[in-house]
Amino acid sequence: MARRWLDYKTGAWVQWCPGCGDFGILNSIYGALAELDIDPTNLVVVGGIGCSSRSVYYIKGNNVHTIHGRAIPIASGIKLANPELTVIVTGGDGDLLGIGGGHFTALGRRNIDIAIFIYDNAVYGLTKGQAGPTLPLWARTKALAYPNIQGSVNPLLLAFAAGYTFIARGYAYHVNQLKGLVKAAIQHKGSAVVDILQPCPTYNDFMTQEWYEKRIYYLNEEDPTWDPVIRSPEDMKVKAPRILEKMLETGDRIPLGIFFQDLTKDTMEERLEKAMPGYLRTPPAKRPIDVKGRITLHPFKIFKDKLLET
Ligand code: SF4
Ligand code: MG
C-alpha cells in the first residue's frame, strides 16, 4: 500500500511557535515524501542548528542533528558512503548561508545528489531574532536596536554561481505548491536547493505574511512558456539571461517556482564512478570489513591507483 504523509510523522512534540512558517514546510516535506513513496529506512534528514533544523526530530528517517553550519558536509559524507539513500538537509538561512556558507558553495561545485531546504526567515529565530544573511539592508525587526546595516545575500544567485543544478524558491504557507517544489528537488539528480520564504511571526515583524503575500507570484503563472530546464550548452546561452533576470528580481515583486534545472552535468557519484569504476556497485557502506572493523578495499587506495594509471 502506498505511504501516506502520516507515515513520516514521528511522535515528537513539535517545538515551534504558533503560526510559524516551519509548519507549512514540514507538511510539504511529509506530502512530498509520501507522493514519492520514499521508504523511511532509506531516508536521511540532516539538520544543523536552528528552529528549522529541529525538523530532523519530526520526520521519520535515519536522521542526524549536527552542529551549527555543518549539515552539508555530514550529509555529503552519508550520501557518498551510500548513494542509494535519499539525503535531504533542513536548515535556516543563518545556518546554511551564514555559518555554513562555505559548505553551501562547496556542495554546488560537487553536485552531490542531495536536496537542501532553506527555511529562510531572514533572522536567527532560535537565538531571539538577530539579523540573518537574507535580511534586507536597512530593514529593522523588533530585536534590532537599529536598522540592518549589512546587505543581504541572494541565495538563488549564490547557488547559481556555486554550480547547483536545481534552484527553486517557494513560500511556506503555500503548502501544495511547495510540496511540488520539494518533490522536484528530491527527484532531481544532483545538488538541489529550494529557498523557502518562511515568515517568523515571533521575531521578523518586517517580512510578515502580509508583506510576502503582496509581493509573491509564480513564474509559470505569469509566463506559461517559462522553461528553466537546461539540456545543452546552447540552452544555457539562450536561457541564462532570463533566468538571471528573474533571480535578481526583488523588492515589490518576488518570483516563486523552479528557476533553473541543469541536466547537462555529471553528479559527484557519476564522477567517482568514472574515477574508480565499481564505486556505485560497492560504495564504502557496502564494502566488506575485516574482523577489526576496517574496510578491506580502501576507497582512497583504489582512487589513487586509478589516477596513477591514467
Ligand atoms: Fe518559528 Fe520564529 Fe518561533 Fe523559530 S522563533 S519557531 S522561526 S516563529
Ligand atoms: Mg533564519
Side-chain angles (χ1 to χ4, degrees):
M1 197 177 80
R3 293 179 176 84
R4 300 161 312 146
W5 74 270
L6 267 174
D7 295 330
Y8 297 90
K9 207 168 154 48
T10 64
W13 171 46
V14 180
Q15 296 184 35
W16 289 326
C17 311
C20 177
D22 288 359
F23 287 100
I25 302 173
L26 185 62
N27 284 328
S28 302
I29 295 175
Y30 288 145
L33 293 171
E35 286 183 18
L36 294 172
D37 201 25
I38 289 173
D39 180 348
T41 62
N42 274 333
L43 173 68
V44 182
V45 186
V46 187
I49 297 296
C51 302
S52 50
S53 296
R54 296 192 55 79
S55 299
V56 298
Y57 297 111
Y58 311 141
I59 303 167
K60 266 192 201 153
N62 301 285
N63 303 345
V64 193
H65 197 184
T66 69
I67 51 175
H68 211 356
R70 309 295 175 230
I72 287 178
I74 289 165
S76 302
I78 293 168
K79 181 70 185 182
L80 293 181
N82 187 355
E84 285 178 11
L85 298 172
T86 297
V87 180
I88 69 177
V89 169
T90 57
D93 51 302
D95 186 72
L96 291 167
L97 305 173
I99 298 91
H103 298 304
F104 182 82
T105 50
L107 182 62
R109 293 167 50 219
R110 293 174 180 150
N111 200 29
I112 303 172
D113 184 17
I114 293 176
I116 309 290
F117 301 117
I118 308 176
Y119 296 39
D120 183 357
N121 56 16
V123 294
Y124 287 89
L126 193 72
T127 49
K128 308 241 179 295
Q130 299 88 342
T134 54
L135 189 70
L137 180 65
W138 303 125
R140 184 173 173 199
T141 57
K142 67 186 187 193
L144 302 183
Y146 300 99
N148 181 24
I149 203 160
Q150 302 185 83
S152 57
V153 67
N154 180 325
L156 308 182
L157 286 171
L158 185 62
F160 185 80
Y164 280 78
T165 47
F166 179 100
I167 304 172
R169 187 195 275 136
Y171 177 57
Y173 292 148
H174 286 181
V175 175
N176 263 332
Q177 292 94 326
L178 183 56
K179 181 180 68 180
L181 296 176
V182 169
K183 263 175 80 176
I186 294 174
Q187 283 176 306
H188 174 75
K189 291 279 158 250
S191 296
V193 61
V194 185
D195 179 38
I196 307 167
L197 307 175
Q198 176 243 312
C200 164
T202 302
Y203 291 114
N204 194 335
D205 55 346
F206 176 74
M207 295 150 95
T208 59
Q209 180 175 5
E210 296 67 38
W211 188 91
Y212 280 121
E213 289 178 11
K214 265 192 228 149
R215 291 168 171 80
I216 52 177
Y217 74 93
Y218 285 89
L219 290 163
N220 57 354
E221 283 174 10
E222 186 201 56
D223 175 5
T225 66
W226 176 255
D227 176 13
V229 182
I230 308 294
R231 296 180 183 82
S232 65
E234 192 49 41
D235 248 3
M236 186 69 139
K237 271 192 223 145
V238 174
K239 293 178 184 171
R242 181 93 175 120
I243 287 169
L244 287 169
E245 185 192 321
K246 286 293 162 191
M247 286 184 178
L248 277 163
E249 192 170 11
T250 50
D252 288 345
R253 280 171 61 73
I254 304 177
L256 304 176
I258 300 173
F259 285 72
F260 179 68
Q261 184 169 21
D262 186 352
L263 304 181
T264 67
K265 277 191 198 164
D266 281 350
T267 61
M268 175 59 93
E269 296 86 317
E270 289 162 342
R271 293 175 209 171
L272 285 172
E273 177 64 28
K274 279 184 190 161
M276 40 181 178
Y279 159 77
L280 285 173
R281 194 167 28 85
T282 49
K286 295 195 174 169
R287 297 219 170 113
I289 52 173
D290 70 13
V291 283
K292 290 189 177 150
R294 292 175 302 213
I295 48 178
T296 53
L297 287 167
H298 199 286
F300 297 113
K301 184 172 179 318
I302 302 169
F303 194 31
K304 197 170 124 236
D305 293 349
K306 177 74 189 164
L307 284 183
L308 289 178
E309 261 172 38
T310 52

